[in-house]
Amino acid sequence: MKIKSVNPYTEEVNRTYDSFSIGECRTLIENSRTAFSGWSSLPAEERAKYFLKAAEVLRQNTEIYAGIITKEMGKPIMQSRKEIQKCARLCDYYAENAAGLLKDEIVDIGAEKSYITFEPMGVILGIMPWNFPFWQVFRFAVPAICAGNVCVLKHASNVPESALEIEKVFLEAGFREYIFKTLLIDSKTAMELIKEELVDGVSLTGSTGAGSEIGKLAGGAIRPQVLELGGSDPFIVLEDADIEKAAQAGVRSRFLNAGQSCTAAKRFIVVKEVVGDFIEAFELHMKKLKIGDPMDEETDIGPLAKKEFVEKLEKILDDAKKKGAESQTYGEKHKKGFFFNPTIIPAASTDMEVCNIEVFGPVAPVITAKDEDEAVEIANSTEFGLGAKIWSGDPDRAEKLAKRIRAGSVAINGMIRSDPRLPFGGIGKSGVGRELSHYGLKEFVNIKTVMVNK
């Protein structure tokens, strides 16, 4: 099988790669398991030092890596550059904090000594998506490797060059070969690795459907798993909100990375008193977005990552129109590239597909709620529970409301951003487990209790 890297702006093939056979994967994973023996025996303080060098490699090669991201999946170059910088900050955080977070925890139970220790599990398989091709991988791999594990990566099939470059980052930072290894494989082969129990844990970032399939396999093999899945994040605007700031942040949240983000604002739920003002301000900021060549420093929205994503969004809009919606699209049409221009649906209803599935693209449905209680009801009406945003001039009111929202994260008067210091993940069909912070660091460790008596 061939794996193609295609430029979504020019529609030209960047490069074609041969995929690995299952036999090759078995051999590579055996090598990774051998590397695990030496890596896991190092003190946590020694392991952490390697990530300072990894951060340095990322910063020194930011332009190279950012260019690869943009040419493989169409993200505007300015956003690609920020993605690499964020990966470097992640490495800094764990280099500085991992050893302390992994220290034995002493618990006095009346014995001579009793404590909890954190021991790595082995080879962890990461199945990662294309929308943040560097960040998603580092977010999974850095905590897992800091904890003493080794990682093998099955990246999305449209970003093979990113996958291979990430492996090089670890090698250039001085990590022994096979501590991090990229496997150029398809989904079927990845599932076979789990079935054969070749790996000791699985971390997936992807769709709910993919999470269900991988979850069944990992559960059947009795392997720990972290599933970071889809989202349909509500963006609630109350009548006392700063409408201008809310609209500006809403445009950023919905259209960053052309709307191809799990934590993007996907359903704008606005109370009736201010819905007209919000839509007016939102459209004003939409019109300012520059759509075009993702390598242009001024571009805000580039093409979608794949042609089929454009077709899917068109079907979603067709469904909304059949159910009475009138949409407004901004920007000029492009003759080439997988473009879908930013679109607002000012009077969306909850029976529309756009309000019930994860929409990966620059489409913003606005739902009117009569009051905050109905806003919460609408926010909680989907099967997802990843993130939510609440805008109000009264932070105390918003905090009380946040407790009623079913989500893994809530941002008040701001955007959801994954931060190394905070756990990231969702509930419901948005996944299980957590990444980042000390919670993510301990997802793939044996939490072992030791009791010592005379």
Side-chain angles (χ1 to χ4, degrees):
M1 172 187 162
K2 299 290 184 180
I3 296 177
K4 285 185 180 180
S5 169
V6 177
N7 187 321
Y9 177 65
T10 65
E11 302 186 34
E12 297 173 352
V13 176
N14 295 317
R15 190 171 171 182
T16 301
Y17 299 84
D18 291 320
S19 60
F20 296 3
S21 69
I22 186 68
E24 290 174 307
C25 290
R26 291 190 190 103
T27 299
L28 293 172
I29 291 172
E30 285 176 12
N31 292 338
S32 292
R33 197 167 294 283
T34 300
F36 168 71
S37 178
W39 178 250
S40 61
S41 66
L42 291 177
E45 293 83 357
E46 290 300 311
R47 294 196 299 263
K49 290 178 183 177
Y50 283 84
F51 289 95
L52 291 174
K53 179 61 176 175
E56 183 182 333
V57 172
L58 286 163
R59 291 187 172 105
Q60 288 176 344
N61 297 284
T62 295
E63 293 304 316
I64 295 172
Y65 302 144
I68 290 170
I69 291 172
T70 296
K71 290 175 183 177
E72 281 206 300
M73 53 74 58
K75 181 177 297 182
I77 189 67
M78 183 174 61
Q79 296 175 27
S80 297
R81 196 177 291 124
K82 289 180 179 179
E83 180 175 338
I84 300 302
Q85 293 165 352
K86 190 173 183 178
C87 293
R89 292 195 298 273
L90 173 74
C91 291
D92 290 338
Y93 172 78
Y94 281 105
E96 295 166 6
N97 295 284
L101 296 173
L102 291 168
K103 279 186 178 179
D104 292 349
E105 294 181 10
I106 307 300
V107 181
D108 185 1
I109 62 169
E112 181 72 18
K113 185 193 296 185
S114 57
Y115 58 94
I116 303 162
T117 190
F118 307 99
E119 299 178 351
M121 290 184 165
V123 181
I124 310 301
L125 169 64
I127 303 175
M128 295 291 123
W130 47 265
N131 56 330
F132 291 88
F134 271 66
W135 169 247
Q136 303 277 22
V137 174
F138 276 81
R139 192 172 76 183
F140 137 72
V142 170
I145 295 173
C146 264
N149 298 292
V150 298
C151 293
V152 291
L153 169 68
K154 187 275 179 221
H155 216 326
S157 60
N158 60 323
V159 289
E161 190 172 354
S162 293
L164 293 170
E165 284 298 322
I166 291 169
E167 181 179 308
K168 291 179 184 177
V169 171
F170 284 92
L171 292 173
E172 289 181 28
F175 289 82
R176 181 180 170 185
E177 193 175 7
Y178 298 110
I179 289 174
F180 179 94
K181 189 66 180 176
T182 286
L183 307 177
L184 293 181
I185 56 176
D186 58 15
S187 298
K188 183 180 178 181
T189 305
M191 289 190 280
E192 192 61 37
L193 301 180
I194 303 170
K195 284 180 186 176
E196 292 189 17
E197 301 185 7
L198 295 174
V199 296
D200 304 296
V202 183
S203 180
L204 165 78
T205 297
S207 69
T208 299
S212 178
E213 289 297 314
I214 295 300
K216 289 176 186 175
L217 290 173
I222 319 296
R223 294 293 188 269
Q225 56 189 285
V226 171
L227 305 176
E228 198 276 279
L229 310 178
S232 185
D233 287 13
F235 187 105
I236 298 172
V237 183
L238 302 179
E239 74 281 354
D240 60 355
D242 185 321
I243 298 302
E244 173 61 23
K245 287 183 179 179
Q248 190 173 11
V251 167
R252 288 201 310 272
S253 182
R254 174 65 276 196
F255 301 120
L256 181 73
N257 198 21
Q260 299 170 120
S261 170
C262 56
T263 58
K266 296 195 174 78
R267 294 175 295 143
F268 292 87
I269 305 168
V270 187
V271 295
K272 62 182 180 181
E273 289 93 335
V274 294
V275 68
D277 292 339
F278 177 80
I279 290 171
E280 183 180 350
F282 190 91
E283 289 184 316
L284 186 63
H285 287 290
M286 275 182 67
K287 292 175 184 177
K288 296 177 182 178
L289 297 172
K290 182 176 178 180
I291 308 148
D293 183 354
M295 289 301 291
D296 186 336
E297 295 284 344
E298 301 299 318
T299 295
D300 298 301
I301 297 182
L304 300 183
K306 295 182 180 181
K307 184 178 181 179
E308 54 261 41
F309 297 161
V310 177
E311 297 166 354
K312 185 173 183 179
L313 288 178
E314 288 172 347
K315 290 179 180 178
I316 290 170
L317 274 190
D318 286 343
D319 171 81
K321 290 174 182 177
K322 287 176 183 177
K323 294 171 181 173
E326 292 184 6
S327 61
Q328 180 64 52
T329 299
Y330 294 92
E332 298 178 359
K333 288 188 176 181
H334 290 77
K335 295 180 180 179
K336 201 170 189 180
F338 308 143
F339 284 95
F340 194 95
N341 286 5
T343 301
I344 184 172
I345 304 175
S349 58
T350 54
D351 64 329
M352 295 174 183
E353 192 177 22
V354 71
C355 297
N356 289 284
I357 65 171
E358 180 178 39
V359 178
F360 241 50
V363 179
V366 181
I367 307 166
T368 301
K370 65 181 179 181
D371 54 29
E372 69 172 48
D373 289 331
E374 186 174 52
V376 171
E377 183 181 344
I378 294 169
N380 289 336
S381 65
T382 73
E383 60 187 6
F384 299 104
L386 190 56
K389 299 87 175 169
I390 301 173
W391 283 79
S392 170
D394 184 347
D396 291 336
R397 176 191 183 191
E399 281 191 69
K400 290 176 183 176
L401 210 62
K403 293 181 180 180
R404 298 167 59 191
I405 303 292
R406 295 182 65 255
S409 299
V410 178
I412 295 172
N413 295 333
M415 292 169 56
I416 297 290
R417 291 189 178 94
S418 51
D419 185 300
R421 297 165 292 185
L422 297 172
F424 182 84
I427 60 172
K429 294 294 180 70
S430 287
V432 295
R434 290 296 181 266
E435 296 179 306
L436 303 177
S437 109
H438 66 91
Y439 296 98
L441 184 64
K442 295 170 183 174
E443 283 284 4
F444 294 108
V445 297
N446 173 22
I447 302 175
K448 180 186 285 185
T449 298
V450 179
M451 294 170 286
V452 181
N453 293 287
K454 285 187 176 179

